């Protein structure tokens, strides 16, 4: 069973930065793509970003484009999410995901493996 373990969440003030890390128990090169979803209190889970593990192509939600950067290190089986210029609207539980479906990156049903999540709180 593949395990994904997130780290790096925490509390910051608006305008601050955080770097999330996701460690996979399997070789990340075995996945077609990995990414990050988030879920804020009272809201549905939403896609944040994803990356195709072989070529490095990335996708971002409009709400984070230009502020967040997803990257990978296949040698260390890790995926990262650098989050800059954070706002209170970014407050959520952030989940690392991995899957083998290359289509519809924003659809949570396309990802077979999920981490337990790491909380991010941004205060104004």
């Amino acid at each position: 069973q593949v395990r994904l373990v997130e780290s790096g969440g925490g509390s910051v003030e608006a305008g601050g930065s955080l770097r999330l890390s996701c460690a996979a128990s399997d070789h990340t090169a075995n996945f077609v793509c990995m990414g990050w979803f988030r879920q804020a209190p009272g809201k549905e889970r939403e896609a944040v970003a994803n990356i195709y593990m072989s070529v490095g192509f990335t996708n971002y939600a409009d709400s984070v484009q230009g502020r967040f950067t997803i990257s990978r290190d296949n040698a260390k089986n890790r995926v990262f999410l650098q989050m800059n210029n954070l706002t209170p609207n970014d407050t959520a539980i952030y989940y690392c995901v991995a899957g083998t479906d290359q289509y519809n990156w924003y659809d949570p049903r396309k990802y077979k493996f999920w981490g337990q999540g790491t909380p991010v709180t941004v205060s104004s």
Side-chain angles (χ1 to χ4, degrees):
Q1 179 68 22
V2 173
R3 291 183 64 241
L4 303 175
V5 180
E6 305 95 337
S7 61
S11 298
V12 295
E13 294 184 349
S17 298
L18 285 173
R19 185 176 189 236
L20 304 184
S21 178
C22 174
S25 62
D26 197 0
H27 296 297
T28 53
N30 290 337
F31 302 120
V32 171
C33 56
M34 295 184 69
W36 296 89
F37 278 69
R38 68 185 181 185
Q39 187 165 19
K43 295 186 178 181
E44 293 187 356
R45 195 168 293 187
E46 64 172 350
V48 175
N50 93 324
I51 186 167
Y52 290 87
M53 303 308 288
S54 62
V55 297
F57 184 77
T58 58
N59 290 291
Y60 296 95
D62 289 344
S63 59
V64 307
Q65 181 77 45
R67 299 187 298 122
F68 290 13
T69 302
I70 188 170
S71 60
R72 77 203 192 288
D73 186 338
N74 284 336
K76 296 183 178 179
N77 298 328
R78 286 183 178 267
V79 172
F80 307 96
L81 186 68
Q82 177 67 43
M83 306 186 295
N84 298 327
N85 195 20
L86 286 160
T87 75
N89 287 336
D90 296 315
T91 295
I93 305 295
Y94 284 72
Y95 298 90
C96 178
V97 298
T100 57
D101 192 326
Q102 62 179 322
Y103 301 109
N104 300 330
W105 75 273
Y106 47 83
D107 186 345
R109 297 171 297 179
K110 298 298 184 179
Y111 298 90
K112 182 176 182 180
F113 304 106
W114 289 71
Q116 292 299 308
T118 185
V120 171
T121 302
V122 185
S123 59
S124 59

